[in-house]
Amino acid sequence: RHIISVKHLNPRNTSHFRNMMTNSNFVPTAPARLSLLVLCLVGLIGGCSHRVDAADDGITVEHGRRVVGEYMSETGFYQSITVTNESPLIKFKSRYQDIEVHESKYYGKILVLDGVVQLTERDADSYNEMMAHVPMMAHSAPKRVLVIGGGDGNVLSEVLKHPMVEHVDHVDLDEGVIETCKEHFSWGKAWDDPRVTLHISDGAAFVRNAPAGHYDVIIQDSSDPFTWTDEGHTVELPSSVLYSEEHLGYLFRALSPEGVFNFQAETFNLPSDLKGIKDWRYDALETGFESAQYGSLMISSYPTGQIGFLLCKKNKESGPSMEEVEQRFEEIVQAGLTTTYYQPKLQKSSFDLPLWVEKSIYTQDTDIAVDCE
């Protein structure tokens, strides 16, 4: 068993943060949960509020096990995943971040970017299917789709299961993540689909220059807009521009009249995230979206086991009936492209929240500060 030496740092005060600062609109590739003050026990240093000294192979031993672990100082919660002796399968630094693929007997391959678990083969379906199919099924005829971020390609692969799709623009900044996932994950051929155009580009700038009314569905699989210091102070991160009212305005403009926008909206189990959810929903409504609903999903490899999304609609009365959703889903199943987590029932039930969460998000002027002491 190793003794772990922890060095307290400013949030994201790493080479990854410095690289992101050179491009304020950096769009990472998968859902790095916001404001998680993370203790990375696998030598995955960047993007963490605490730094751990680890061996060169990126593995730390905890109670005799080789693990990937995360600690949230805001709540005192910690979890880890045991990895095999073969880990890491790949480990390198791209222009923007540290990229690693580990392996677990239970979770399969694990994609880790700058110290944060992005997905595992075991439960990637939970997040990515919900991020993709809920907004796609919320639109009556999604033909033109924009995916911002999500460089692992899993959201993209789920979008492509819909036969109505004619074209998808996928925008991501880090080609290193895309190439890694092409090699190591089963959905890596998604970019070969002739309906896809990949743009190695800045996501926010791409949206600013997008033609008005062009996209039926936009899915934003981006990173955290802010984090917290150990003293409780908020620190904005470069990707905060992707959660700004200005960016929401450009997204709104780029959507067709019945357009749908879905974006990663963190977990309600962290007080700072819960406040963020309410604020982002307010901003979306102020921008002009007629509805903005928080949907929830379960995923065991993410801290607290829960994360969510905000589904925003330009026209709240638009969209197919449940009968039409079920029919479209059956067509996907019959084509051999079925899902493992998403099903039509979740099109409604994922928005049913615990009472305290519903009150926190939807009640006007609710004080959602939580006394964690």
Side-chain angles (χ1 to χ4, degrees), residues 161-176:
K161 290 180 179 180
H162 292 259
M164 289 185 184
V165 172
E166 296 176 356
H167 184 79
V168 183
D169 284 312
H170 183 204
V171 184
D172 196 271
L173 195 60
D174 196 341
E175 192 170 12

Side-chain angles (χ1 to χ4, degrees), residues 21-84:
M21 288 299 289
T22 65
N23 188 325
S24 62
N25 296 327
F26 171 55
V27 183
T29 54
R33 278 83 57 211
L34 72 86
S35 67
L36 304 183
L37 304 183
V38 180
L39 174 65
C40 299
L41 295 181
V42 58
L44 309 170
I45 305 302
C48 305
S49 60
H50 296 80
R51 182 168 179 164
V52 179
D53 293 332
D56 291 339
D57 65 358
I59 301 294
T60 296
V61 177
E62 175 193 274
H63 299 290
R65 299 187 302 271
R66 296 154 55 86
V67 302
V68 178
E70 297 182 31
Y71 172 76
M72 283 64 65
S73 64
E74 186 177 3
T75 57
F77 180 85
Y78 168 76
Q79 73 177 37
S80 63
I81 300 174
T82 302
V83 297
T84 66

Side-chain angles (χ1 to χ4, degrees), residues 96-302:
Y96 302 102
Q97 56 199 329
D98 293 319
I99 300 173
E100 301 189 19
V101 176
H102 291 268
E103 189 160 27
S104 159
K105 289 183 179 178
Y106 180 79
Y107 283 97
K109 291 180 182 178
I110 306 169
L111 176 66
V112 181
L113 302 179
D114 269 351
V116 178
V117 172
Q118 304 298 300
L119 57 79
T120 76
E121 287 181 316
R122 164 70 64 168
D123 61 6
D125 57 342
S126 307
Y127 175 82
N128 292 281
E129 289 182 9
M130 293 296 284
M131 281 291 290
H133 295 295
V134 173
M136 293 296 288
M137 291 294 193
H139 195 284
S140 296
K143 296 180 180 180
R144 296 182 301 276
V145 181
L146 170 62
V147 177
I148 304 170
D152 55 77
N154 206 338
V155 165
L156 174 65
S157 69
E158 295 300 321
V159 166
L160 293 170
K161 290 180 179 180
H162 292 259
M164 289 185 184
V165 172
E166 296 176 356
H167 184 79
V168 183
D169 284 312
H170 183 204
V171 184
D172 196 271
L173 195 60
D174 196 341
E175 192 170 12
V177 174
I178 293 169
E179 293 303 319
T180 297
C181 293
K182 282 182 178 180
E183 179 182 352
H184 287 277
F185 293 96
S186 60
W187 55 83
K189 295 185 182 297
W191 294 279
D192 296 338
D193 192 299
R195 294 173 290 174
V196 177
T197 299
L198 174 62
H199 306 265
I200 305 299
S201 179
D202 179 293
F206 187 92
V207 173
R208 284 198 301 272
N209 297 318
H214 184 70
Y215 295 105
D216 299 312
V217 175
I218 299 177
I219 301 170
Q220 182 171 284
D221 185 5
S222 58
S223 76
D224 311 342
F226 64 85
T227 188
W228 293 75
T229 67
D230 290 343
E231 293 75 29
H233 302 303
T234 305
V235 178
E236 282 197 355
L237 298 177
S239 56
S240 62
V241 66
L242 299 172
Y243 289 78
S244 68
E245 283 192 74
E246 180 182 16
H247 180 63
L248 286 171
Y250 288 123
L251 289 163
F252 186 87
R253 181 183 61 82
L255 284 167
S256 58
E258 297 187 355
V260 177
F261 171 50
N262 195 42
F263 67 101
Q264 188 269 115
E266 308 303 344
T267 176
F268 55 62
N269 288 313
L270 292 177
S272 57
D273 287 8
L274 185 55
K275 182 180 185 304
I277 294 165
K278 182 173 183 178
D279 291 345
W280 302 327
R281 178 177 179 270
Y282 175 84
D283 290 343
L285 295 174
E286 285 291 295
T287 297
F289 287 101
E290 290 188 358
S291 68
Q293 293 181 283
Y294 181 83
S296 178
L297 62 98
M298 295 178 292
I299 177 166
S300 65
S301 61
Y302 285 0

